[in-house]
Amino acid sequence: MQFMLLFSRQGKLRLQKWYVPLCDKEKKKITRELVQTVLARKPKMCSFLEWRDLKIVYKRYASLYFCCAIEDQDNELITLEIIHRYVELLDKYFGSVCELDIIFNFEKAYFILDEFLLGGEAQETSKKNVLKAIEQADLLQENIDFQMRLFAEPE
Amino acid sequence: MALKIVKGSIDRMFDKNLQDLVRGIRNHKEDEAKYISTCIDEIKQELKQDNIAVKANAVCKLTYLQMLGYDVSWAAFNIVEVMSSSKFTYKRIGYLAASQCFHESTDVIMLTTNQIRKDLSSPNQYDTGVALTGLSCFVTPDLARDLANDIMTLMSHTKPYIRKKAVLIMYKVFLKYPESLRPAFPRLKEKLEDPDPGVQSAAVNVICELARRNPKNYLSLAPLFFKLMTSSTNNWVLIKIIKLFGALTPLEPRLGKKLIEPLTNLIHSTSAMSLLYECVNTVYIDVNTPPLPSLSLSLCLYLSLPPQLCVQKLRILIEDSDQNLKYLGLLAMSKILKTHPKSVQSHKDLILQCLDDKDESIRLRALDLLYGMVSKKNLMEIVKKLMLHVDKAEGTTYRDELLTKIIDICSQSNYQYITNFEWYISILVELTRLEGTRHGHLIASQMLDVAIRVKAIRGFAVAQMATLLDNAHLLTGNMQRMGICEVLYAAAWICGEFSEHLENPMQTLEAMLRPKVATLPGHIQAVYVQNAAKLFATVLKSQEGNTDSTAAQETSQLMIDRLPLFVQSANLEVQERASCILQLVKYIQKLQQKDVEVAEEVSALFAGELNPVAPKAQKKVPVPEGLDLDSWINEPPSESESEDEQPKAIFAKEEPKHSRPRREEVDEKELAKRREARKQEQANNPFYIKASPSSQKVYQEAPGVEHIPVVQIDLSVPLKVPGLPMSDQYVKLEEERRQKERAEKKKKEKKKRKEKRSGRGKKHDSGPESEEDITPAHQVDIVTEEMPEKSSKHKKKKQKKEKEEKEKKKKKKHHHHHHHSDGGGEEAVQNGTVEEEEPLPVSVFFCFLPLTKVYDIQGNLQDGSQVVVSVIFENKCDSFLKSMEFNVLDSLNSKLQRPEGSGPHDGLTVPFQLPPGVSNEARFVFTVQSIIMPQKLKGTLTFIVKDSSTHEKLDFKLHFTCTSYLITTPCYSDAFAKLLESGDLKCSSVRLEGVNMPFHHLLARICFHHHFSVVERIDSCASMYSRSIQGHHVCLLVKVSAQTVSIDAKCDEPTLLGNVLDEIKQTFSQC
């Protein structure tokens, strides 16, 4: 996978993850172009489109579009599955996720994505394992925060 | 739950956290930019504080702003600070920010190496985890090189959580630092059998991706993967394995046979569409299509795995109600079509159904498929369906797409599938009724093409075009360029040129001279005027035959009345033609009044048939003696434009494939006769090659009653042009015609069988007619076919391509060459590299020799600006090379010294020629102003390959390293000490890790490659000296402890020093 974008129906970017090194300018250009193209598609249309030399796989969940770019030889259906898994993970973690959850906890959304995908490849196909890893990392963070709250001393 | 506690604690600690920022932005929709700029100011303040928690919070906010499109690269260093925090909370944020904001050119990445290494070896697996995750996003070649070992160790970590991340990230490391692949591979292979399924799947993933790039190296793993494939139930893993086999099988055909069984099982048993799709896609498509043309493999694969199975499965996908499956099914189908057209064609019904789909992308896919599915038998039927869709289609884009597809389908391979051109003309005429199309031009060029090339159709075409002209007002609603009015261009030309076929030329002439015509685009009006003149000639001819001469004079008067309108046209072309013709007609009128017969002479103006000229015809014109088409008239342009520009022929659309329509066998005598005739004609007219008379009798439909166009006046559809036939009737007619033909054939065959009763009975086919049985009703006059193939040229091109391909396999090579200077016996050593951009049959070795008048430099610094480049040319091809010219694009700093009087862009002639396999050396002098920076100069070498006498070009880059400006100069230790004490020199140092060689070798290497001499050596410590051609002193102090080499250096020019040190580092990283 080359990159993943999440954006709202209004075209606002909510999350971006790039697995290929690109400069900011190029990223912005691609984002703008893709958001426009995807939003222009009618609701009944299929989830795939060819764009430059890549294939775009997108799916809409409520007001959010999840959009992935894959290479020519990659499998579109498994990419749809990845998107769906990620949505399920977000749902489990936040408890029926909505767009606002992702806006206000965008770093958490990234952490979950990073536990699920690494370098553009699925690293863990078990939802349970992903959530376990996230919870434990959160717990670690929470303990530190708890200590800090007690002592409130700068590092 | 956990989340809430975390959030709560942060809330209390800071004034404005991420949530506040997001909320703030949402509340300031009107002045968002202003609000954010104040926020950024706050963040800058926060970053200045010592408290890491405040910093981390600030960085977190910045990451959010980065996503919104704000530049946060200025905070890169703060991100590194937060990454280095010992607390997981902040480290996590730091790495997240880094993975979002850093890219390869972020310079602070250099500072992170040690921090990342520390985190990788942290006892806490989540520290290691975030470091790996972050690294996967911003790994650079440097990081990959420095951390490859650490990550490799992690592949054997006790925790599967770390192992699987480490395995996955190794792929990124391999990409950035390919040298790491060899040592890491055994361990990676081991991970294929890891007890943890996650790790195993990660390893499969990585090896699959690697194998896609270079399958050859992974063949040995096939048995292991085969085992995994038959045992694994994880679809994610299976998909990757199938992909891997897709890459491996072309190299090892025997694999194909082994795979058939498990693959068939999978195809039959899996419920996962993604897996099924992968099987079908990889096995049939990727393996069977080029660039993997391994015939034996495809054979054994599809001999046992019939494509029907695959197509059937695809049918299931297409029939599914899910749009996505439908789309993918069609996509895969179109790929199978290329290799197994027959098995796809039987599903025509399904594809046609897809044209009704509500999803436009699916309809377009189906259209693509139809293009490849037509045959003589089904063309009319398919086009009929498409015409229905044209009527129904909403939105001009899709309708235009349909229109072009219909024309594409019909005209493909030189109208191979059209059996009745009357039908095709009526289709074209029907298409003109489309409102708002942008493809008027396309329709027009088809009309012209057919009318010109299919002689038998001209009468019909002219009648149709005359009706179009008569009803021109219906078409002129859309005056935009390329709009439908373009067809009037074709209509006017056809009516004029073939006016002898017109039933009522007078009526058409009047139609063409209507005042309304003046509103048409200029180029169409011009054609109108010109062809009005042709019509005029025809009309005169018919009228002069009559006894009544007034009719002819009235016609002239009509021209004289109407033409002035065009003389006033703003379009120059129209004006010119109109005034010319007007004067002509006035003169004719004068003659008519004297009762002179003029018709013959007027029609002589337009006599002679215009014949189509094949796009390749020009090549047949012999080149006059003494004209060298290959020599340059002007300076060659720096960048060659696309060579093969397709001629935009309006008459003949060149098809990529020349599929010869069936013709009767022509005997030798006939051929010779024709050749003779052609030669004669050529001699008379070098620019036009007349088509020789068609050898086949043109089948002409008997003009029966049913062939007279049926007048249809349909009031409900106002745009329908009255008097035009509907293409549908041809479908029926065609059926009848074929039936008749079949019946005749049967009769004949019966006769034959009677005669041949004793002989072996000919197999009688009473089933459905085959493609071959359908004879076209009209014959296309295919001019391109008359041309003898330019086979020699083609062959040459092909050979060249092959050669190039062979050459390309050789990767970029860096050649090093050593030379002794001839001045004073000093050893001045080269080092230069050449990057061959486009490998051609010549290889060039470069070496640099600083001008060797070493002793003169002190007194005469002038020479310090010259560098001699010695170039060794080696001819690696089999042909003799001559006229070599060496040229370099000068930079401001470095210039190639050219002989006096030549321009700054002239090349230098290489003073020798090269027989095959021979090498020779030439020297070129460069003037260099500043020597403190390395630089690359682009250059080209042009030469002529003797056999083909073609000009070839080789691009290269000259790499002037700083080292090449250094000259080995001895220095005594006391002078050296004095130099160091003087305090004029700037300091710099470098550390080399993992250098594993004896100290004296190390010193020798520096001396040899970088032109230094040893001043003094004590144990594992040495001082060295060199100086540049411009007199810079460079002093080194080299120390070795364990495997680490530290070099402290001094020089009066810090930039030069930095570059020299970089180059030294490079030398040792290569060993």
Side-chain angles (χ1 to χ4, degrees):
Chain A
M1 189 188 294
Q2 305 249 329
F3 56 84
M4 186 190 239
L5 299 174
L6 259 72
F7 50 87
S8 68
R9 219 169 26 177
Q10 290 79 34
K12 282 239 161 66
L13 195 61
R14 294 303 180 208
L15 196 124
Q16 54 170 348
K17 193 84 197 174
W18 299 81
Y19 297 111
V20 283
L22 289 171
C23 66
D24 283 351
K25 210 172 133 197
E26 182 68 8
K27 284 182 188 172
K28 263 189 221 172
K29 202 178 137 211
I30 292 175
T31 311
R32 203 168 42 233
E33 212 177 303
L34 268 186
V35 168
Q36 266 174 14
T37 327
V38 170
L39 287 180
R41 295 194 35 115
K42 299 196 184 73
K44 289 287 181 194
M45 282 174 130
C46 70
S47 299
F48 316 120
L49 57 120
E50 279 167 11
W51 179 80
R52 299 196 189 174
D53 55 345
L54 297 176
K55 295 193 284 197
I56 304 296
V57 178
Y58 72 92
K59 194 157 168 72
R60 183 178 158 180
Y61 287 90
S63 58
L64 267 187
Y65 284 87
F66 292 68
C67 173
C68 296
I70 54 174
E71 278 162 64
D72 187 45
Q73 289 168 316
D74 290 333
N75 188 319
E76 291 97 334
L77 290 174
I78 207 74
T79 313
L80 265 187
E81 178 78 24
I82 286 178
I83 293 178
H84 189 70
R85 283 273 164 118
Y86 181 47
V87 174
E88 282 180 335
L89 285 169
L90 289 172
D91 208 49
K92 279 251 170 66
Y93 183 82
F94 289 107
S96 74
V97 67
C98 68
E99 193 183 338
L100 284 179
D101 286 324
I102 295 174
I103 298 173
F104 283 105
N105 305 290
F106 93 118
E107 84 278 21
K108 293 287 175 196
Y110 277 119
F111 294 151
I112 297 169
L113 186 61
D114 286 341
E115 284 300 331
F116 178 42
L117 299 177
L118 194 131
E121 301 286 341
Q123 61 164 314
E124 183 54 71
T125 52
S126 146
K127 276 177 277 186
K128 219 174 72 195
N129 286 350
V130 176
L131 286 173
K132 212 173 82 192
I134 287 288
E135 265 162 30
Q136 283 181 351
D138 279 348
L139 210 65
L140 192 66
Q141 178 173 355
E142 182 201 339
N143 282 339
I144 294 165
D145 286 332
F146 184 67
Q147 286 165 12
M148 279 183 44
R149 210 149 29 115
L150 285 183
F151 305 109
E153 60 177 8
E155 196 179 42
Chain B
M1 261 268 289
L3 178 72
K4 268 188 191 144
I5 300 172
V6 174
K7 293 294 164 197
S9 64
I10 293 176
D11 275 348
R12 253 160 282 157
M13 287 185 59
F14 308 109
D15 296 334
K16 191 187 270 173
N17 61 19
L18 175 67
Q19 276 73 17
D20 298 324
L21 175 77
V22 175
R23 218 167 280 137
I25 293 173
R26 291 168 73 84
N27 291 337
H28 290 78
K29 284 221 166 84
E30 295 82 36
D31 51 347
E32 193 183 293
K34 199 175 142 206
Y35 177 76
I36 288 180
S37 79
T38 59
C39 287
I40 288 182
D41 288 341
E42 278 170 29
I43 289 171
K44 282 184 177 158
Q45 288 307 313
E46 286 167 11
L47 287 176
K48 279 183 192 148
Q49 292 187 34
D50 281 335
N51 189 327
I52 191 72
V54 177
K55 266 188 191 167
N57 182 52
V59 163
C60 188
K61 288 192 278 186
L62 278 179
T63 315
Y64 186 79
L65 293 179
Q66 191 265 347
M67 180 175 73
L68 295 185
Y70 292 87
D71 175 38
V72 300
S73 54
W74 49 269
F77 187 74
N78 303 103
I79 294 176
V80 176
E81 279 184 309
V82 176
M83 276 163 75
S84 338
S85 160
S86 58
K87 300 263 191 295
F88 178 70
T89 318
Y90 310 133
K91 190 182 287 300
R92 204 182 189 190
I93 290 171
Y95 272 103
L96 173 64
S99 63
Q100 293 301 109
C101 311
F102 287 3
H103 44 87
E104 285 204 329
S105 51
T106 308
D107 41 10
V108 292
I109 285 188
M110 292 190 310
L111 306 174
T112 59
T113 317
N114 281 326
Q115 179 59 41
I116 296 175
R117 181 173 287 140
K118 209 174 108 197
D119 289 334
L120 289 181
S121 54
S122 159
N124 181 344
Q125 63 168 333
Y126 294 104
D127 282 350
T128 317
V130 290
L132 285 172
T133 311
L135 198 55
S136 73
C137 293
F138 58 77
V139 62
T140 61
D142 283 344
L143 279 178
R145 190 192 57 226
D146 296 341
L147 296 172
N149 264 323
D150 304 74
I151 301 172
M152 219 158 86
T153 320
L154 289 179
M155 281 165 69
S156 314
H157 199 268
T158 50
K159 299 247 173 48
Y161 177 78
I162 299 300
R163 285 207 301 274
K164 96 191 154 198
K165 279 182 195 280
V167 168
L168 275 178
I169 201 177
M170 268 325 265
Y171 178 62
K172 295 270 166 185
V173 173
F174 296 149
L175 289 185
K176 299 284 176 194
Y177 180 57
E179 287 89 334
S180 59
L181 180 55
R182 196 168 288 277
F185 192 69
R187 200 168 285 185
L188 185 61
K189 195 177 145 189
E190 215 177 275
K191 295 297 133 196
L192 284 175
E193 293 175 294
D194 196 278
D196 183 86
V199 181
Q200 201 183 35
S201 128
V204 171
N205 236 330
V206 171
I207 291 183
C208 167
E209 291 304 314
L210 288 172
R212 267 157 69 168
R213 285 165 186 263
N214 181 12
K216 205 168 72 241
N217 295 349
Y218 303 92
L219 265 178
S220 63
L221 295 180
L224 193 56
F225 276 106
F226 194 80
K227 209 175 84 192
L228 275 177
M229 180 174 165
T230 41
S231 59
S232 176
T233 50
N234 183 336
N235 287 342
W236 303 70
V237 174
L238 281 173
I239 286 177
K240 287 283 174 187
I241 294 179
I242 290 168
K243 230 182 244 310
L244 176 92
F245 277 125
L248 292 186
T249 353
L251 302 174
E252 178 50 271
R254 278 172 299 174
L255 259 179
K257 224 170 219 166
K258 271 202 101 179
L259 284 173
I260 290 167
E261 200 201 316
L263 274 178
T264 325
N265 284 346
L266 273 180
I267 290 178
H268 281 303
S269 64
T270 185
S271 58
M273 283 300 181
S274 51
L275 182 56
L276 174 68
Y277 177 64
E278 189 64 50
C279 289
V280 169
N281 215 16
T282 307
V283 175
Y284 285 100
I285 291 138
D286 292 347
V287 171
N288 284 331
T289 47
L292 311 168
S294 166
L295 191 69
S296 51
L297 157 83
S298 347
L299 270 179
C300 74
L301 257 185
Y302 62 72
L303 277 183
S304 327
L305 259 185
Q308 279 84 345
L309 168 65
C310 164
V311 177
Q312 270 163 21
K313 284 287 170 184
L314 286 180
R315 194 180 167 104
I316 297 174
L317 289 188
I318 297 173
E319 280 172 341
D320 201 287
S321 58
D322 184 342
Q323 299 293 96
N324 293 332
L325 297 183
K326 220 187 250 301
Y327 177 87
L328 292 180
L330 289 170
L331 191 68
M333 201 77 120
S334 65
K335 290 179 186 164
I336 292 186
L337 185 69
K338 287 181 200 136
T339 49
H340 305 97
K342 282 264 160 59
S343 25
V344 179
Q345 267 162 8
S346 55
H347 298 276
K348 192 184 67 197
D349 56 318
L350 187 64
I351 313 293
L352 283 172
Q353 264 175 39
C354 289
L355 285 179
D356 292 318
D357 202 280
K358 46 197 180 301
D359 182 349
E360 194 177 300
S361 45
I362 287 179
R363 291 197 303 256
L364 290 176
R365 281 267 159 249
L367 270 180
D368 278 344
L369 263 174
L370 280 179
Y371 177 82
M373 288 173 66
V374 289
S375 62
K376 280 184 186 157
K377 234 191 296 177
N378 62 17
L379 175 73
M380 284 187 169
E381 184 197 341
I382 287 181
V383 172
K384 187 180 159 191
K385 286 256 167 63
L386 291 179
M387 291 300 284
L388 283 178
H389 283 282
V390 171
D391 287 339
K392 277 192 291 184
E394 313 143 11
T396 44
T397 17
Y398 178 59
R399 213 174 45 184
D400 277 359
E401 186 64 33
L402 270 170
L403 189 153
T404 47
K405 264 280 137 44
I406 290 176
I407 290 181
D408 276 356
I409 286 175
C410 292
S411 64
Q412 65 177 310
S413 326
N414 254 326
Y415 308 100
Q416 190 190 1
Y417 299 116
I418 295 187
T419 49
N420 185 334
F421 279 95
E422 283 189 20
W423 164 81
Y424 186 45
I425 292 274
S426 355
I427 288 284
L428 290 174
V429 171
E430 270 174 49
L431 286 175
T432 62
R433 290 173 217 161
L434 287 185
E435 260 178 301
T437 181
R438 286 174 297 107
H439 291 294
H441 182 77
L442 187 62
I443 302 176
S445 71
Q446 284 288 300
M447 286 173 168
L448 285 170
D449 196 25
V450 171
I452 292 165
R453 289 168 63 186
V454 189
K455 289 198 180 108
I457 200 71
R458 283 182 192 162
F460 179 80
V462 165
Q464 292 299 307
M465 296 303 122
T467 330
L468 270 185
L469 286 179
D470 225 15
N471 297 288
H473 56 280
L474 296 178
L475 301 175
T476 49
N478 174 4
M479 293 300 262
Q480 83 191 81
R481 221 178 146 73
M482 305 305 277
I484 202 66
C485 63
E486 289 287 330
V487 299
L488 293 175
Y489 175 99
W493 192 87
I494 292 172
C495 283
E497 182 64 23
F498 306 121
S499 51
E500 70 272 16
H501 296 286
L502 272 176
E503 246 169 64
N504 190 349
M506 192 59 207
Q507 189 189 342
T508 310
L509 180 62
E510 265 173 41
M512 281 169 74
L513 293 171
R514 282 182 201 144
K516 195 92 200 281
V517 173
T519 58
L520 287 171
H523 65 287
I524 299 179
Q525 282 185 56
V527 170
Y528 262 71
V529 171
Q530 184 75 12
N531 286 285
K534 291 184 197 166
L535 270 179
F536 173 64
T538 316
V539 172
L540 277 189
K541 215 173 169 184
S542 66
Q543 286 170 337
E544 270 187 5
N546 300 343
T547 41
D548 185 13
S549 65
T550 50
Q553 286 189 25
E554 271 167 29
T555 316
S556 305
Q557 193 53 47
L558 176 78
M559 292 288 280
I560 292 170
D561 289 346
R562 299 282 174 86
L563 278 174
L565 178 68
F566 298 102
V567 176
Q568 293 160 10
S569 170
N571 187 300
L572 277 181
E573 177 88 11
V574 180
Q575 211 183 90
E576 188 188 6
R577 290 186 189 206
S579 46
C580 183
I581 290 166
L582 181 61
Q583 289 312 313
L584 185 73
V585 176
K586 278 182 180 163
Y587 180 67
I588 290 169
Q589 198 185 32
K590 231 187 257 171
L591 290 175
Q592 280 176 332
Q593 280 158 1
K594 290 180 196 156
D595 274 339
V596 181
E597 297 240 322
V598 286
E600 278 304 319
E601 280 166 68
V602 175
S603 34
L605 282 175
F606 306 106
E609 197 177 349
L610 292 183
N611 274 310
V613 179
K616 283 180 185 164
Q618 183 64 42
K619 286 186 188 154
K620 292 211 57 183
V621 180
V623 180
E625 240 173 86
L627 175 65
D628 182 9
L629 289 174
D630 290 330
S631 65
W632 288 101
I633 298 168
N634 294 315
E635 277 282 288
S638 57
E639 216 144 317
S640 62
E641 284 145 60
S642 84
E643 280 174 35
D644 279 8
E645 225 175 301
Q646 284 283 328
K648 218 176 147 192
I650 195 161
F651 297 131
K653 208 173 143 201
E654 200 181 0
E655 295 297 332
K657 254 202 315 203
H658 294 274
S659 45
R660 198 174 239 282
R662 289 166 301 103
R663 277 164 185 253
E664 279 172 14
E665 284 299 314
V666 195
D667 60 15
E668 272 305 309
K669 241 165 87 189
E670 172 73 14
L671 267 176
K673 218 168 83 189
R674 261 195 269 167
R675 226 175 272 136
E676 194 48 48
R678 201 158 45 216
K679 264 185 203 152
Q680 203 149 18
E681 229 152 0
Q682 249 179 51
N684 294 339
N685 189 351
F687 298 108
Y688 280 92
I689 298 113
K690 278 213 154 210
S692 56
S694 173
S695 61
Q696 198 187 27
K697 247 195 202 160
V698 172
Y699 179 94
Q700 179 87 50
E701 268 181 273
V705 185
E706 64 270 67
H707 297 279
I708 295 172
V710 179
V711 180
Q712 287 200 350
I713 301 172
D714 190 345
L715 290 175
S716 64
V717 190
L719 255 182
K720 212 165 262 183
V721 182
L724 296 179
M726 295 294 289
S727 58
D728 290 357
Q729 74 186 84
Y730 289 97
V731 181
K732 232 173 84 192
L733 280 176
E734 183 68 15
E735 236 355 270
E736 284 168 20
R737 188 178 71 85
R738 280 185 207 169
Q739 239 158 29
K740 223 160 69 187
E741 253 172 35
R742 238 176 298 166
E744 266 170 38
K745 207 172 185 178
K746 249 185 211 167
K747 249 190 243 163
K748 262 189 211 162
E749 250 168 55
K750 247 185 204 162
K751 247 191 208 162
K752 259 188 211 162
R753 253 184 298 156
K754 263 182 202 161
E755 288 164 37
K756 284 191 178 178
R757 204 175 280 166
S758 55
R760 275 170 291 158
K762 214 179 162 190
K763 214 177 175 187
H764 173 57
D765 186 14
S766 57
E769 55 181 343
S770 70
E771 273 288 289
E772 308 313 312
D773 292 336
I774 305 171
T775 51
H778 311 274
Q779 187 71 40
V780 194
D781 203 1
I782 298 155
V783 183
T784 38
E785 296 295 318
E786 311 275 355
M787 305 293 157
E789 256 312 299
K790 303 289 265 178
S791 55
S792 61
K793 195 116 188 177
H794 275 282
K795 225 161 104 194
K796 216 179 273 166
K797 259 189 196 156
K798 210 173 148 196
Q799 276 171 349
K800 209 171 105 190
K801 227 181 214 163
E802 273 165 16
K803 199 155 56 177
E804 268 169 16
E805 243 153 43
K806 222 161 61 198
E807 291 290 328
K808 257 177 204 157
K809 276 178 198 154
K810 287 194 277 166
K811 287 260 167 73
K812 278 187 184 176
K813 275 186 187 162
H814 295 261
H815 303 289
H816 289 263
H817 216 78
H818 311 301
H819 262 260
H820 293 278
S821 73
D822 47 9
E826 286 294 337
E827 212 187 40
V829 187
Q830 75 50 119
N831 69 350
T833 44
V834 174
E835 289 162 27
E836 282 181 1
E837 289 193 319
E838 228 179 292
L840 269 165
V842 192
S843 86
V844 190
F845 294 86
F846 285 75
C847 74
F848 291 78
L849 299 170
L851 198 70
T852 43
K853 287 179 184 168
V854 183
Y855 304 113
D856 295 346
I857 283 179
Q858 275 169 334
N860 180 10
L861 280 173
Q862 207 87 60
D863 275 353
S865 61
Q866 283 191 341
V867 174
V868 174
V869 178
S870 157
V871 186
I872 295 175
F873 299 91
E874 188 189 350
N875 182 355
K876 287 187 166 175
C877 73
D878 299 325
S879 312
F880 198 94
L881 304 182
K882 58 171 188 179
S883 303
M884 289 192 277
E885 259 197 9
F886 178 91
N887 199 3
V888 171
L889 206 60
D890 287 349
S891 70
L892 278 178
N893 191 31
S894 312
K895 292 183 171 62
L896 176 62
Q897 275 197 355
R898 295 174 168 88
E900 267 182 35
S902 56
H905 303 299
D906 291 349
L908 294 184
T909 313
V910 180
F912 47 78
Q913 305 187 336
L914 279 182
V918 171
S919 59
N920 202 345
E921 181 190 357
R923 294 185 174 209
F924 301 95
V925 182
F926 283 80
T927 321
V928 183
Q929 277 174 3
S930 161
I931 60 158
I932 61 170
M933 298 277 275
Q935 52 175 324
K936 282 180 186 169
L937 290 187
K938 276 190 190 171
T940 50
L941 179 74
T942 54
F943 53 90
I944 295 180
V945 183
K946 210 168 189 181
D947 294 349
S948 61
S949 70
T950 49
H951 265 273
E952 300 281 15
K953 203 176 111 189
L954 177 74
D955 288 316
F956 58 83
K957 277 183 191 161
L958 282 176
H959 196 167
F960 286 70
T961 57
C962 279
T963 298
S964 52
Y965 301 126
L966 296 184
I967 296 168
T968 318
T969 317
C971 184
Y972 295 109
S973 53
D974 45 353
F976 189 74
K978 222 176 240 171
L979 194 62
L980 290 181
E981 276 166 19
S982 69
D984 294 332
L985 305 184
K986 309 286 185 301
C987 226
S988 182
S989 62
V990 67
R991 281 167 72 87
L992 309 169
E993 305 273 1
V995 178
N996 197 4
M997 62 171 76
F999 189 51
H1000 62 277
H1001 280 185
L1002 183 120
L1003 292 183
R1005 198 174 264 263
I1006 297 177
C1007 288
F1008 182 72
H1009 286 287
H1010 299 282
H1011 315 171
F1012 278 87
S1013 62
V1014 179
V1015 180
E1016 222 175 350
R1017 184 186 158 186
I1018 305 158
D1019 295 326
S1020 58
C1021 183
S1023 52
M1024 306 178 87
Y1025 177 77
S1026 181
R1027 74 188 287 181
S1028 76
I1029 53 171
Q1030 293 182 354
H1032 303 107
H1033 304 280
V1034 188
C1035 310
L1036 301 183
L1037 188 64
V1038 185
K1039 277 181 276 186
V1040 167
S1041 59
Q1043 287 196 0
T1044 310
V1045 182
S1046 71
I1047 301 176
D1048 294 305
K1050 283 189 171 185
C1051 176
D1052 35 11
E1053 177 54 60
T1055 323
L1056 175 68
L1057 182 61
N1059 288 319
V1060 169
L1061 287 181
D1062 282 348
E1063 284 162 24
I1064 293 180
K1065 210 171 163 185
Q1066 191 93 37
T1067 308
F1068 285 96
S1069 71
Q1070 280 165 0
C1071 61

